[in-house]
Amino acid sequence: MRIYDISQEVFTCKVFPGDPAPKRKILASMDKGDLYNLTEFSMCAHNGTHIDAPKHFIKNGKAVDEIPLETLVGRCFVAEH
């Protein structure tokens, strides 16, 4: 089986209208004389490449951790829009 990585880069992918865009903030940088590099980031859980768990739309639906991984692997069609 050939595997295709269809992941989107988090900070450049489009977000759903109304969702906050991902943000990153450099808290410490060795290039600026700090002892270490430290980055903070925030994003909506509904961003980038993901699966919409049934619980997202259906009361008492399954959460992501309740969906068997085998459900997400198999034949597919990838279209570029």
Side-chain angles (χ1 to χ4, degrees), residues 1-78:
M1 170 175 38
R2 180 176 276 180
I3 297 174
Y4 295 93
D5 181 359
I6 60 169
S7 303
Q8 298 179 44
E9 199 281 323
V10 171
F11 292 103
T12 58
C13 70
K14 293 185 179 185
V15 298
F16 190 79
D19 285 357
K23 296 178 184 150
R24 73 179 122 204
K25 179 179 176 184
I26 305 298
L27 301 177
S29 170
M30 292 170 63
D31 288 341
K32 293 183 178 180
D34 295 317
L35 296 175
Y36 51 86
N37 293 312
L38 181 62
T39 305
E40 171 186 315
F41 73 92
S42 64
M43 62 182 258
C44 177
H46 196 243
N47 185 66
T49 309
H50 68 282
I51 177 174
D52 275 328
K55 189 173 188 169
H56 187 68
F57 294 103
I58 303 169
K59 187 175 177 136
N60 300 321
K62 287 185 176 183
V64 170
D65 62 338
E66 299 171 317
I67 299 171
L69 186 58
E70 298 79 34
T71 303
L72 308 175
V73 178
R75 295 180 56 81
C76 72
F77 177 79
V78 179

